[in-house]
Amino acid sequence: MDEKSYYSRLLVAFLMVLCFGVIVLQYVCPTSDCQLLHLASLSSRLGSRAPGDRMNGAGAGDPYSSEDGALVRFVPRFNFTTNDLNRAVDFNIKGNDVIVFLHIQKTGGTTFGRHLVRNIQLERPCECHAGQKKCTCYRPGKRDTWLFSRFSTGWSCGLHADWTELTNCVPSFMGNRESQERRRTPSRNYYYITILRDPVWRYLSEWRHVQRGATWKASKHMCDGHSPTLSELPSCYTGDDWSGCSLEEFMVCPYNLANNRQTRMLADLSLVGCYNLSVMSERQRWAMLLESAKRNLRNMAFFGLTEYQRKTQYLFEHTFRLSFIAPFTQLNGTRAASVEVESETQRRIRELNQWDVELYEYARDLFLQRFQYARQQERREARQRRLQERRKLHAKVKPWWGVTGKAVFKPTKEPPMTEQSPTFSEEKRVDAGQTLESETEGQVEDNWLEEDDSETILDYLENVEQWR
């Protein structure tokens, strides 16, 4: 009985310690995201590979290999240059470089913004505290931020600032935060990033958000040094907000900024007179905005798509050489997805957002081509590494194959020479031996190269199948 009671007390004590640990974890890190990161970090310390890490090359150890199969039915529509597709940048987090996140409403930017401050493996992780929205993201050894976003610097350039606002505001804002000594250092590199979403579902998501009382009244819409007047940007509702509005009411307002929001927020509004609609015709205005948005999107360091979470994670990691701790999750159960919309209504939404539809098709094509280009580049680098390893192995085992200067000479058309021949000198024997050794080594190298060429052919055939 004494032994049983001893083990019972020991079990009770263990359970009490476990419950106490769970309570402390909930207090220190109440959010599920934070707990997930702790678990991922723990598994990494125990020797398992973090989901964000990639092994060399593609294969069973590659967490993104399953994403390659999704490109089978992808047919590219646009021709992009190598510079458009290769977006890997030399981001120096210890220097002056800054990532600037352009957050467009209802594109999943809040989730991605949290990934930036909570889910990246860093030498000096961002300091995030429970109950506070903003995190402190300092560079290693400095009190200087490397990230300009909602969850790091707040809405410092205005609520949901667009491309026009950010490009005019961010450099001066970051300059004002620097000390006199820091201002003498070379100018910063600003790497702009954003997230896009299918226009129809983004529009429906914004309607549901506005229906619940969202207004974004704090948005400045700064352009050419001033905000738009009430006549340039009238309101769609009277009162404090537009809560309870129907989808029909949301769609019929001609001043609704939800219409083609992604195109407008990514374009240079100065090109069309900002919000002054009398400068040019509506169609000419939107055509210019669309071309500007495409150009800015193409030149951004990175952009992701809400509908492709894992590819978005891969391209960010590939672009900035940073790894996420926990993998991105594809969530399809959004509020917009729960809305039952008739096909006719969806068609009308697409017409209202025709410029966003065109921009998204362009962005999707560029995004998928960038993903495929990056994967092919990664496979080529893996093949080069394997080839170098084989050459090193060949150099070590070459004596075992008998590849030396004493190997048998190849027969030639000329009669063989002997040591008694007057023209056969010691010098020529040495030269012949060196020539034979180089020829034999060249043959072996050719064998290695032929093996690598076969892999290249297989990779090419694989890519042809994907592009059909």
Side-chain angles (χ1 to χ4, degrees):
M1 291 295 295
D2 292 339
E3 186 176 354
K4 291 183 179 179
S5 60
Y6 169 76
Y7 283 114
S8 299
R9 289 195 298 270
L10 187 63
L11 179 60
V12 171
F14 174 76
L15 293 175
M16 290 179 64
V17 171
L18 181 62
C19 293
F20 179 75
V22 172
I23 294 173
V24 171
L25 179 62
Q26 289 287 342
Y27 177 77
V28 175
C29 184
T31 62
S32 59
D33 292 340
C34 190
Q35 294 172 19
L36 178 62
L37 298 187
H38 278 295
L39 291 175
S41 178
L42 178 61
S43 63
S44 177
R45 293 192 190 99
L46 293 177
S48 61
R49 191 170 54 87
D53 291 341
R54 295 193 298 275
M55 295 179 64
N56 293 339
D62 186 354
Y64 299 104
S65 59
S66 60
E67 297 296 320
D68 296 327
L71 295 176
V72 174
R73 290 183 295 273
F74 168 60
V75 179
R77 294 175 47 197
F78 301 93
N79 293 323
F80 295 105
T81 66
T82 302
N83 290 334
D84 295 332
L85 300 179
N86 185 14
R87 302 308 296 165
V89 300
D90 186 19
F91 177 67
N92 185 6
I93 195 172
K94 296 182 179 180
N96 300 317
D97 297 350
V98 178
I99 294 178
V100 182
F101 180 35
L102 194 163
H103 186 173
I104 303 174
Q105 290 95 318
K106 312 315 295 178
T107 59
T110 298
T111 300
F112 184 77
R114 289 197 180 103
H115 280 302
L116 293 177
V117 297
R118 294 179 179 268
N119 194 20
I120 298 182
Q121 293 179 355
L122 297 171
E123 180 180 339
R124 184 178 183 180
C126 296
E127 297 178 7
C128 302
H129 303 286
Q132 298 181 3
K133 289 186 177 181
K134 290 198 302 181
C135 303
T136 302
C137 298
Y138 285 151
R139 307 178 192 275
K142 300 179 182 178
R143 294 183 62 82
D144 182 27
T145 185
W146 57 270
L147 176 65
F148 186 98
S149 73
R150 167 188 178 182
F151 292 113
S152 57
T153 55
W155 302 111
S156 302
C157 290
L159 180 62
H160 286 287
D162 54 33
W163 189 91
T164 307
E165 293 177 288
L166 287 178
T167 53
N168 285 278
C169 168
V170 171
S172 60
F173 173 81
M174 296 299 297
N176 292 334
R177 292 167 60 97
E178 294 177 348
S179 62
Q180 284 297 124
E181 182 179 353
R182 292 279 298 154
R183 292 178 188 178
R184 300 191 194 101
T185 60
S187 59
R188 295 178 181 272
N189 294 318
Y190 294 101
Y191 297 104
Y192 286 81
I193 64 175
T194 193
I195 300 292
L196 298 180
R197 186 180 182 183
D198 178 270
V200 173
W201 299 112
R202 195 214 67 80
Y203 188 84
L204 289 171
S205 181
E206 181 166 344
W207 163 61
R208 291 296 300 269
H209 199 54
V210 168
Q211 194 181 45
R212 295 191 301 271
T215 61
W216 297 299
K217 287 182 179 179
S219 298
K220 299 178 180 178
H221 304 296
M222 294 291 293
C223 180
D224 287 348
H226 61 85
S227 298
T229 63
L230 186 59
S231 60
E232 290 176 335
L233 192 59
S235 178
C236 287
Y237 57 90
T238 58
D240 296 333
D241 55 46
W242 206 6
S243 59
C245 70
S246 65
L247 179 58
E248 183 66 27
E249 292 173 332
F250 193 74
M251 294 171 62
V252 297
C253 177
Y255 316 111
N256 193 346
L257 291 179
N259 299 340
N260 299 298
R261 181 181 289 278
Q262 297 179 103
T263 301
R264 187 184 64 259
M265 291 190 67
L266 291 176
D268 184 359
L269 298 179
S270 301
L271 299 175
V272 296
C274 299
Y275 292 89
N276 185 356
L277 304 182
S278 62
V279 175
M280 60 186 69
S281 67
E282 181 181 6
R283 185 163 190 84
Q284 183 182 4
R285 170 186 173 85
W286 279 109
M288 290 186 64
L289 289 177
L290 177 61
E291 289 306 313
S292 177
K294 287 181 178 179
R295 181 170 55 253
N296 292 336
L297 189 70
R298 191 170 60 247
N299 293 330
M300 279 184 172
F302 160 83
F303 72 88
L305 299 182
T306 307
E307 290 75 20
Y308 299 92
Q309 288 292 314
R310 292 289 285 158
K311 290 182 175 63
T312 293
Q313 177 178 354
Y314 173 84
L315 283 179
F316 182 90
E317 293 179 339
H318 179 81
T319 301
F320 291 100
R321 299 295 188 260
L322 297 172
S323 296
F324 290 99
I325 302 171
F328 287 14
T329 304
Q330 190 71 51
L331 298 177
N332 297 319
T334 62
R335 292 188 177 94
S338 64
V339 178
E340 294 184 4
V341 182
E342 297 179 356
S343 57
E344 176 61 23
T345 303
Q346 292 190 33
R347 184 189 63 80
R348 290 176 55 196
I349 293 175
R350 292 180 68 86
E351 289 179 353
L352 284 173
N353 294 271
Q354 59 173 318
W355 306 104
D356 268 12
V357 169
E358 189 170 343
L359 175 66
Y360 183 81
E361 290 301 318
Y362 180 87
R364 179 179 177 274
D365 195 279
L366 176 57
F367 177 85
L368 293 178
Q369 287 197 47
R370 281 183 177 177
F371 177 81
Q372 188 171 58
Y373 181 87
R375 295 292 288 172
Q376 291 174 349
Q377 187 179 46
E378 188 174 350
R379 284 193 288 267
R380 284 195 298 269
E381 293 174 354
R383 283 198 300 270
Q384 289 297 323
R385 286 192 294 269
R386 291 197 298 270
L387 179 59
Q388 291 176 1
E389 292 173 357
R390 290 168 184 165
R391 284 175 174 169
K392 292 179 180 178
L393 179 62
H394 160 63
K396 292 180 179 179
V397 303
K398 184 173 63 175
W400 291 60
W401 295 346
V403 183
T404 64
K406 298 180 180 179
V408 180
F409 289 97
K410 292 182 179 180
T412 61
K413 294 181 180 179
E414 298 179 359
M417 293 184 179
T418 64
E419 292 186 0
Q420 289 77 20
S421 300
T423 57
F424 192 91
S425 63
E426 183 66 21
E427 180 180 355
K428 291 188 177 294
R429 282 201 302 271
V430 174
D431 291 343
Q434 291 177 349
T435 303
L436 176 63
E437 183 174 357
S438 62
E439 288 178 354
T440 310
E441 183 177 355
Q443 292 175 0
V444 175
E445 288 293 333
D446 288 342
N447 291 335
W448 292 106
L449 291 173
E450 287 174 2
E451 183 176 352
D452 187 65
D453 288 341
S454 64
E455 291 183 357
T456 304
I457 294 173
L458 291 175
D459 185 58
Y460 171 77
L461 294 175
E462 176 188 352
N463 294 330
V464 169
E465 290 297 325
Q466 291 181 357
W467 285 74
R468 285 180 177 175

